[in-house]
Amino acid sequence: NHGLPAERSNPADSGNITKQAAHGKAEFVAPSAKYTPAQGYVGEDEFEYEAVARGRTSQQVRLKVRVKVLVVAP
């Protein structure tokens, strides 16, 4: 999930997790947020993050992300 401002050609260059996930770990690695579920966890989780993109004007975006972790058979 990318924090993209109105200038879509400018992905986020910095950001941070503002509310950590309850059943896994969320981290921001520019330009996107990454979620890793806890080992063995299946179900819904959510986290929030802020992202900043610099273009002609700096824009800050706040996002709330909901994820659903499923087990997929190979």
Side-chain angles (χ1 to χ4, degrees):
N1 193 349
H2 295 269
L4 290 174
E7 296 176 43
R8 295 186 80 60
S9 63
N10 246 359
D13 59 2
S14 65
N16 64 325
I17 303 300
T18 57
K19 180 182 174 192
Q20 190 54 254
H23 303 286
K25 182 179 180 183
E27 59 186 317
F28 188 87
V29 179
S32 61
K34 176 182 174 185
Y35 173 80
T36 305
Q39 186 173 3
Y41 179 74
V42 175
E44 294 184 0
D45 204 354
E46 66 181 45
F47 65 94
E48 296 178 15
Y49 73 97
E50 294 178 340
V52 178
R54 306 214 187 281
R56 286 175 278 189
T57 61
S58 293
Q59 295 184 4
Q60 185 171 2
V61 178
R62 288 182 184 223
L63 300 164
K64 182 175 187 176
V65 179
R66 288 194 176 127
V67 295
K68 188 169 189 176
V69 181
L70 303 173
V71 175
V72 179

